Amino acid sequence: MFICPRSAVFLLSMLANACHASGIAVQVADSAGVPLQDAVVYVEAEPGQNLPKPLRAGEIEQKGLKFIPLVSVVQTGSRIEFPNNDKVRHHIYSFSPAHKFDQKLYSGTSATPQVFEKAGVVVLGCNIHDKMVAYVRVVDTPYYGKTDASGMVRIDMPPGAKYTLRAWHYNMVGGQPVEQALAVKPGDALGTAAIRLAMKPPAAEAAL
């Protein structure tokens, strides 16, 4: 197979970056050890480090009278789209200090994208359908992820630095992230961490 010189350089660059990539695999569970899905895990570097600003755009769909996904995580300054794929109109809003907004009744993709400039938790609701709720965790770092059904998430970040690992779940007791120190040395293999979060009783979640 022929590879042009420019492509060869690109492939070598990608391989070099992969060799220097590092990260951590995190398992998040509740106090009883049951894996937690939709826990937000993020890694913040010590002050003074230059951080990339990928600003990945997000999307929260309205379908089946629900927000999908239930939990989103974005970096500060990122934009989120709110397409309405229901046959009825929605009126979405948030009273959260991290980002207050009000999107009047609309359908389709006519809603204005929202830019989330402040770190924190943003709780979304619908003025028409009270049971609709979603959560956006806005973080000051490009190194973040969300746990899957097994409570696992992998986060990649540069080696040779000290970080703080934080985990948060929308139904955790107290609402403040649990944190632990983390150091990633050059040449380290993929690290692992386990975090347990104290959760509110199921009845408390249902009452939201």
Side-chain angles (χ1 to χ4, degrees):
M1 178 178 67
F2 173 76
I3 300 177
C4 73
R6 182 175 298 179
S7 298
V9 171
F10 175 76
L11 289 172
L12 288 172
S13 175
M14 292 292 288
L15 289 172
N17 288 336
C19 291
H20 292 288
S22 188
I24 187 166
V26 184
Q27 167 79 61
V28 183
D30 65 13
S31 300
V34 178
L36 287 173
Q37 187 173 7
D38 287 331
V40 172
V41 180
Y42 54 106
V43 178
E44 294 185 329
E46 285 189 333
Q49 294 190 43
N50 293 322
L51 298 178
K53 284 280 189 179
L55 301 181
R56 287 173 279 172
E59 180 179 283
I60 300 177
E61 177 188 17
Q62 297 146 78
K63 187 174 183 180
L65 301 185
K66 293 181 179 180
F67 289 114
I68 302 174
L70 172 64
V71 177
S72 299
V73 53
V74 296
Q75 186 179 359
T76 48
S78 298
R79 184 180 69 177
I80 295 182
E81 306 270 358
F82 294 92
N84 178 4
N85 292 320
D86 274 328
K87 294 182 180 180
V88 297
R89 294 192 296 171
H90 291 297
H91 181 156
I92 59 176
Y93 70 92
S94 175
F95 294 135
S96 301
H99 188 73
K100 297 181 180 180
F101 73 98
D102 186 48
Q103 296 274 26
K104 301 299 183 182
L105 279 170
Y106 73 97
S107 59
T109 58
S110 59
T112 303
Q114 295 291 317
V115 179
F116 292 75
E117 300 282 6
K118 184 178 179 181
V121 178
V122 180
V123 183
L124 308 178
C126 176
N127 266 333
I128 310 302
H129 308 97
D130 293 339
K131 292 185 178 181
M132 291 179 63
V133 64
Y135 306 87
V136 180
R137 182 83 203 192
V138 187
V139 297
D140 285 326
T141 174
Y143 314 124
Y144 60 80
K146 190 174 66 170
T147 57
D148 59 19
S150 65
M152 292 294 301
V153 62
R154 173 176 171 162
I155 300 174
D156 295 316
M157 63 274 192
K162 293 181 179 180
Y163 299 93
T164 299
L165 175 67
R166 291 186 169 90
W168 171 89
H169 191 277
Y170 66 90
N171 199 46
M172 66 185 294
V173 173
Q176 295 302 312
V178 170
E179 64 180 56
Q180 59 182 255
L182 174 67
V184 182
K185 300 178 182 178
D188 278 357
L190 180 69
T192 60
I195 297 178
R196 291 200 174 188
L197 304 178
M199 305 297 289
K200 299 174 185 177
E205 181 178 1
L208 288 175

